[in-house]
Amino acid sequence: MVSKSPAPLLTRRTVLAGSVLAGLGATSFLAACGANERQGSSSGQGSSSAPAKGGTLTVLVSSTATNFDPAKSQSLAITSLGLVHRRLTAWKVESGKPAQLVPDLATDVGSTSDDGTTWTFTLKDGLTFSDGSPIRAADVKWGLERSFAASFSGGLTYHKDLLAGAAGYAGPFEGAHLDSIAAPDDKTLVFTLARPYGDWGWVASTPAFAPVPEGKGAEADYGLKPVSSGPYVLSTVQQGVKLELTRNEHWDAKTDDVRPALPDTVVFSLGQATDVVSQRLAADSAADQSAFGAGFVSPAQLVQVANNPAAKDRLVTSQSGALAFLSLNTRRGALQDAGVRKAFQYAVDKSAFQVATAGTAALAGEIATTLITDGIAGREEFDLYPTEKTGDPAKAKELLAQAGHPDGLSGLTLLVSQSNNGPAQAQAIQASLAKAGITVTLQVLDEDAYYAAINTVNAQEYDLALASWQPDFPSANANLQPLFATSAIGDGGYNSARYSNPAVDAAIATAQATVDTDAAAKAWVAVDKAVMADSPVVPLIYTRNSFLRGSKVTNFFIGAFPAYPNYLAVGVSS
């Protein structure tokens, strides 16, 4: 996943760029406050002792345009889209705890009778849209089918790759339908997959599983006037200025266990400069007392916040976050040799990368040694290449010599996005590699060119690339498959190492097909170790995110995953 600058919807593109991570659509690479570095694991509450109903909550974001079309969205289940659209399943996120999969529109998280190929869901009683019409299984089917239409592309695609017979399907607007999405009655949905897939319950929490009234949503601007299934409706749209959500009178709290819907009104204030947002929230005056920033607090601003006693108590920091890593293009020159690639595990000074990221290790995040990020159930700590955090240049030179390169490596290119502090991070990598006899030239690209290079084979040749990744849902599956499966090379995929190993592909398929949660977790740890043994990437740090809130914002916290505030829980005090 990659990032640009904070928008109300957290997208995949917001979490993969070389030095950029996402707030709600994007912002600078991570930060946390040493003076408050673990507050994200505590209550992170506002000024009142208990969350209260009522009032207006304002979210300050830097993007100037957005929409609430579930087919086009890559929004995490706990961010802004979740205020308007429910899905079959949801995430229960609590302070300091891993996210749990829970029912949303459905009565449970899905059941399978054939080891993961067929999944059945039953809708709850009493579900209605904001127009007062009942939410039926056919509406969920229609919403999913609608996501296949070319004019509504851009959302997450897990379901498109998994549903049987979906290849070549172009949506329902010409009368064609997918037999692999069956709605035999108003309450029942049956999904037939092309292969067993144990995480289908998590996939059912992605935006495309939001219902759209059957026959509606053909218009291009549906995202600006959607029919809501959640506690809020989009009532005011002033693109470039603000979006305003007000209560959906047809939403029934008795059917919804994850959305307390505390504020009467939620306003997304658009086009706000990130540093100015931090200054405003630190000052905590007038309406800003009931606001929070969608974007990360920058390292420079964190220093100021840490020195402001009134403000630092309102800073909430994640325990961890996205994995930042150095990709080694396994199709290029000497990097085709795993022996050469292993030298990079020792050559990189991860502590220098921390400093380049946020000034200090405490602000940047913990040193990374595995690919499965913190906060994912079943994750295992291990280190196949134990060394000092400053690296071991002598060991790296030794491994290069053993691989037939006694004079080191020269002429390599390192791809990085010019956004935010990407060049500084790349320079830190460049300097540490030089100590190990590896000379690197930086290729600094704008964001669009960077993404094109990562997502398209041969769009831009490179040997190394700085990247980061936040999973789309809390499963190791979403950590590993998008980055290391052969199928994720090019064609819009995020396998920036161009890594292809048939044994790993088979292990990924086995892990994906495992329905038992504990067994699946063990299978994914085995994949993590197998990939690391091949060394297609160097894990750098598990980044941290810090967010600032006004003094009247309540119930503002970050769970163990994802590293963002739970928008669905936030309220304001009077």
Side-chain angles (χ1 to χ4, degrees):
M1 322 199 73
V2 207
S3 56
K4 296 164 59 172
S5 46
L9 302 183
L10 176 64
T11 70
R12 163 173 297 203
R13 180 163 169 159
T14 63
V15 194
L16 175 113
S19 58
V20 204
L21 290 181
L24 283 162
T27 183
S28 63
F29 204 61
L30 279 288
C33 179
N36 193 39
E37 74 181 80
R38 289 297 179 183
Q39 188 172 344
S41 62
S42 62
S43 67
Q45 299 258 332
S47 57
S48 64
S49 59
K53 282 217 168 202
T56 297
L57 172 70
T58 299
V59 186
L60 304 172
V61 299
S62 68
S63 72
T64 56
T66 190
N67 74 78
F68 281 77
D69 190 327
K72 296 180 178 181
S73 176
Q74 297 180 13
S75 175
L76 293 176
I78 64 165
T79 54
S80 51
L81 198 80
L83 296 168
V84 174
H85 296 293
R86 299 175 67 176
R87 304 106 190 256
L88 287 180
T89 61
W91 304 357
K92 182 181 180 181
V93 175
E94 299 177 287
S95 181
K97 297 180 181 179
Q100 298 178 42
L101 184 66
V102 295
D104 193 358
L105 293 173
T107 57
D108 59 27
V109 295
S111 60
T112 180
S113 57
D114 56 2
D115 297 326
T117 301
T118 303
W119 287 84
T120 301
F121 295 81
T122 302
L123 296 186
K124 295 173 181 175
D125 294 329
L127 301 172
T128 55
F129 284 111
S130 55
D131 63 4
S133 62
I135 296 174
R136 306 165 303 142
D139 301 315
V140 178
K141 174 180 171 67
W142 177 264
L144 272 172
E145 290 179 334
R146 181 176 170 273
S147 72
F148 283 84
S151 57
F152 297 102
S153 63
L156 296 177
T157 60
Y158 292 95
H159 61 288
K160 297 181 183 181
D161 297 330
L162 289 166
L163 286 167
Y169 180 62
F173 298 113
E174 301 301 323
H177 297 283
L178 272 179
D179 292 339
S180 52
I181 309 172
D185 56 52
D186 285 349
K187 290 292 187 66
T188 307
L189 282 153
V190 182
F191 300 97
T192 303
L193 309 186
R195 55 189 172 86
Y197 195 81
D199 274 340
W200 186 251
W202 284 114
V203 173
S205 73
T206 58
F209 285 77
V212 174
E214 187 176 14
K216 294 189 178 183
E219 59 275 17
D221 62 348
Y222 180 77
L224 299 179
K225 50 182 179 182
V227 181
S228 172
S229 54
Y232 297 96
V233 295
L234 185 56
S235 57
T236 301
V237 176
Q238 292 179 263
Q239 286 289 29
V241 181
K242 72 173 182 177
L243 302 175
E244 186 172 293
L245 307 182
T246 52
R247 291 196 182 276
N248 171 10
E249 63 181 21
H250 292 285
W251 171 76
D252 185 354
K254 297 187 186 72
T255 70
D256 196 333
D257 294 328
V258 297
R259 297 171 184 83
L262 298 176
D264 289 331
T265 305
V266 181
V267 175
F268 292 92
S269 182
L270 306 177
Q272 306 298 318
T274 303
D275 285 350
V276 174
V277 166
S278 295
Q279 293 170 8
R280 285 171 51 183
L281 291 173
D284 196 40
S285 60
D288 288 339
Q289 294 179 348
S290 299
F292 72 89
F296 310 147
V297 181
S298 71
Q301 292 291 326
L302 278 171
V303 173
Q304 296 179 27
V305 171
N307 292 323
N308 181 339
K312 72 177 183 179
D313 288 339
R314 294 183 278 108
L315 187 73
V316 179
T317 298
S318 66
Q319 298 177 37
S320 187
L323 170 70
F325 57 95
L326 175 68
S327 283
L328 315 177
N329 190 337
T330 59
R331 293 186 174 182
R332 295 272 289 177
L335 296 176
Q336 297 176 72
D337 184 349
V340 170
R341 298 196 298 268
K342 290 176 182 178
F344 283 78
Q345 303 290 346
Y346 298 94
V348 173
D349 182 345
K350 297 181 182 181
S351 64
F353 184 83
Q354 288 176 314
V355 171
T357 296
T360 68
L363 297 177
E366 301 293 339
I367 295 293
T369 60
T370 70
L371 305 170
I372 300 175
T373 49
D374 198 10
I376 301 295
R379 175 180 179 269
E380 182 180 317
E381 291 270 9
F382 65 88
D383 187 356
L384 299 186
Y385 308 100
T387 187
E388 296 295 325
K389 63 181 182 179
T390 55
D392 187 343
K395 177 70 172 179
K397 290 179 179 179
E398 178 186 336
L399 290 176
L400 288 175
Q402 291 175 5
H405 301 276
D407 298 324
L409 299 174
S410 61
L412 301 184
T413 58
L414 171 57
L415 191 71
V416 64
S417 169
Q418 68 182 9
S419 301
N420 301 300
N421 56 349
Q425 293 170 325
Q427 289 165 9
I429 296 292
Q430 181 186 45
S432 64
L433 293 179
K435 296 177 183 178
I438 303 170
T439 59
V440 171
T441 299
L442 304 187
Q443 290 187 343
V444 182
L445 304 179
D446 64 37
E447 288 187 49
D448 288 338
Y450 173 88
Y451 300 139
I454 294 297
N455 299 149
T456 308
V457 176
N458 298 326
Q460 171 75 48
E461 296 292 348
Y462 61 88
D463 299 296
L464 314 172
L466 273 177
S468 61
W469 187 257
Q470 169 90 25
D472 294 314
F473 51 85
S475 168
N477 183 359
N479 274 112
L480 299 173
Q481 186 278 333
L483 297 181
F484 302 107
T486 300
S487 60
I489 298 174
D491 195 26
Y494 290 93
N495 186 339
S496 54
R498 310 294 190 238
Y499 176 68
S500 179
N501 182 328
V504 168
D505 286 340
I508 287 174
T510 297
Q512 286 184 328
T514 304
V515 175
D516 179 81
T517 303
D518 293 337
K522 292 178 182 178
W524 285 116
V525 169
V527 172
D528 194 343
K529 292 180 178 179
V531 173
M532 282 305 302
D534 267 353
S535 189
V537 302
V538 178
L540 298 171
I541 61 174
Y542 307 114
T543 55
R544 288 181 181 163
N545 301 358
S546 289
F547 299 86
L548 193 59
R549 61 168 176 82
S551 59
K552 292 185 178 180
V553 174
T554 66
N555 217 34
F556 189 76
F557 64 87
I558 300 173
F561 180 95
Y564 305 95
N566 182 2
Y567 281 39
L568 310 186
V570 179
V572 290
S573 62
S574 58

